[in-house]
Amino acid sequence: MTIVGIVGGGPEDRLPDLHLYNEQNVQWIGADRGSIYLLNQGIVPDYAMGDFDSTSEDEKAMLHTKINQVDTYPIEKDQTDLEIAVQKAIELKPDKIYLFGVTGGRLDHELVNIQLLYQLSEQNLRGIIIDKGNLIELKRAGVHIVEYDENYENISLIPQTPLIKNLTLKNFYYPLTNATLEFGTTLSTSNRLIGKKGTFSFDEGILLVVRSDAVHQ
């Protein structure tokens, strides 16, 4: 399995220990200041991309010294630095893409960054946003297996389309059977598994799956 890990320029204190995800086949992309964050954790990214408007001249010089491929873009452009990094990740044709440093900070940036999961979903790529307290994925209609994770016990299923049809939750503390969820409902938030594994399925719509630790209830 090939994996791409992208680190954005969100608040550094929201980053987990990236070494936990530094598997043998991971290629790392630093988006703007995310390249500095990777180096701060002792990981040299394969690519550094962005306009680097959040880095000092000394930091830019360091990036060119330590990283083989540094791609600099103009500040005025149609895509964010993170979106450019996502497009590069898609070109690498991985099986999975981790996104770090994309939550916290400015709310508009966080919301737009979460929406980038749609781009990956359109490419049939699994994208996972990870920070210290949350895992975020986008799921389309079908049957999905959820395994217990003691670090992310709370599970919320948030509609991203006007209707979610025939949502069924099995082996959840709050089960559902063929429920219809409307956009904006809180019916399927703050749930958790009973046992080591559960499933959720639905026939129509798109769900945002947010798994959180006990602190982020």
Side-chain angles (χ1 to χ4, degrees):
M1 175 181 288
T2 59
I3 299 171
V4 173
I6 300 174
V7 181
E12 190 171 12
D13 61 4
R14 295 298 302 152
L15 290 177
D17 180 355
L18 297 176
H19 290 280
L20 297 175
Y21 305 90
N22 194 23
E23 303 169 39
Q24 183 176 1
N25 293 325
V26 175
Q27 295 185 75
W28 288 99
I29 302 175
D32 197 76
R33 192 163 186 81
S35 301
I36 301 292
Y37 297 163
L38 277 160
L39 293 174
N40 287 347
Q41 291 206 23
I43 299 173
V44 178
D46 300 276
Y47 306 92
M49 316 184 77
D51 55 34
F52 301 105
D53 63 344
S54 62
T55 58
S56 68
E57 292 303 318
D58 287 344
E59 287 172 330
K60 290 177 187 177
M62 179 183 67
L63 294 179
H64 283 278
T65 299
K66 293 181 175 293
I67 302 170
N68 288 332
Q69 185 162 340
V70 179
D71 297 333
T72 303
Y73 293 80
I75 294 176
E76 295 183 1
K77 55 188 181 301
D78 293 332
Q79 295 175 303
T80 65
D81 295 328
L82 182 63
E83 188 173 8
I84 289 171
V86 166
Q87 289 301 313
K88 179 62 178 181
I90 292 172
E91 292 175 10
L92 296 173
K93 301 185 184 302
D95 299 293
K96 185 177 4 180
I97 298 176
Y98 295 136
L99 297 103
F100 307 93
V102 302
T103 56
R106 282 178 52 174
L107 182 59
D108 57 339
H109 287 177
E110 180 170 349
L111 292 173
V112 169
N113 292 342
I114 290 173
Q115 288 186 0
L116 289 176
L117 292 175
Y118 288 90
Q119 286 192 26
L120 300 180
S121 178
E122 288 292 325
Q123 299 289 328
N124 294 316
L125 289 171
R126 185 183 180 192
I128 309 172
I129 292 174
I130 305 172
D131 65 24
K132 272 188 174 178
N134 305 279
L135 297 177
I136 305 172
E137 288 193 71
L138 198 72
K139 295 295 185 182
R140 296 182 181 269
V143 179
H144 304 281
I145 298 172
V146 184
E147 296 185 352
Y148 175 77
D149 187 332
E150 64 180 2
N151 296 312
Y152 302 98
E153 292 184 342
N154 299 301
I155 304 172
S156 294
L157 307 177
I158 304 171
Q160 299 297 293
T161 48
L163 288 177
I164 304 296
K165 293 187 177 180
N166 296 325
L167 177 63
T168 296
L169 309 181
K170 294 182 179 180
N171 291 332
F172 279 75
Y173 189 83
Y174 301 106
L176 289 173
T177 303
N178 294 331
T180 297
L181 271 62
E182 296 183 355
F183 185 82
T185 183
T186 61
L187 177 63
S188 56
T189 58
S190 296
N191 211 331
R192 62 184 183 274
L193 293 176
I194 298 174
K196 295 298 183 181
K197 185 181 296 185
T199 64
F200 66 93
S201 62
F202 56 107
D203 295 336
E204 183 178 318
I206 300 174
L207 284 171
L208 197 66
V209 181
V210 181
R211 304 190 63 170
S212 303
D213 63 23
V215 176
H216 295 80
Q217 298 188 56

